[in-house]
Amino acid sequence: MLKTKIPWADFTINPVKGLCPVACKDDQGKEYCYARRMYRRFKWDPKIRYDHNCLVDLTTIKKPSRIFVGSTMELFGEWIDPMFLTLIFRVCGNFPQHTFIFLTKKPENLLRWSPLSPNCWIGASATNRDMMLRACRELAKVEAKVKFLSIEP
């Protein structure tokens, strides 16, 4: 768990580790994913795996906080074991004082996790108009207290 400088979150946690298969690219095709650069630079283990330890760290947060979950991994991709998400959402439900923020580029995979706990916010990223329209359609199907779009980069 890391204290973050992101204006809309107090902490980030990454309960799924590994090199994310999504290569985020801008309009010109240039990759902009900081997490992929870090995995390559520091030669971190690229194997996708569940790490419960970072969720245990939540017990150390004393005041209600906004926690960005999965800042280095697309959690709703086909490569994620569904049990990982089941465990993550169960933990989120055990900490109702916190707000857990999820962001995905795969909004078509969200419906199977709906409804989400009231303390889970869900957003979808879009880098162009087509992605934005698809994200809006998919978010409309999901039961979540807060839903949002993240327009990148």
Side-chain angles (χ1 to χ4, degrees), residues 16 48 73-82 84-85 112:
V16 177
I48 296 174
M73 175 63 68
E74 171 55 68
L75 292 177
F76 298 93
E78 299 78 20
W79 48 87
I80 299 295
D81 183 330
F84 295 175
L85 286 174
R112 63 198 258 196

Side-chain angles (χ1 to χ4, degrees), residues 137-151:
R137 278 192 307 273
E138 298 300 333
L139 284 172
K141 300 174 190 175
V142 176
E143 289 183 52
K145 184 177 178 181
V146 175
K147 300 181 265 190
F148 63 94
L149 283 175
S150 174
I151 307 302

Side-chain angles (χ1 to χ4, degrees), residues 2 6 12 14-15 18-19 21 24 27 29 41 43 45 57 62 67-68 73 75 87 103 111 115 134 136 141-142 153:
L2 294 172
I6 300 171
T12 62
N14 289 289
L19 183 63
C24 304
D27 299 17
R41 178 179 175 199
K43 297 178 176 46
D45 183 356
D57 289 346
K62 300 303 178 203
I67 302 163
F68 181 22
M73 175 63 68
L75 292 177
L87 294 169
L103 185 59
L111 193 55
R134 182 185 59 154
C136 289
K141 300 174 190 175
V142 176

Side-chain angles (χ1 to χ4, degrees), residues 56-75:
V56 172
D57 289 346
L58 293 171
T59 59
T60 65
I61 303 173
K62 300 303 178 203
K63 67 176 189 163
S65 299
R66 295 164 300 167
I67 302 163
F68 181 22
V69 183
S71 64
T72 62
M73 175 63 68
E74 171 55 68
L75 292 177

Side-chain angles (χ1 to χ4, degrees), residues 32-58:
Y32 64 88
C33 181
Y34 74 94
R36 289 175 65 86
R37 284 194 307 270
M38 287 180 7
Y39 266 86
R40 290 178 183 136
R41 178 179 175 199
F42 296 112
K43 297 178 176 46
W44 292 341
D45 183 356
K47 182 179 181 232
I48 296 174
R49 62 211 181 274
Y50 178 72
D51 178 14
H52 182 72
N53 291 332
C54 72
L55 296 170
V56 172
D57 289 346
L58 293 171

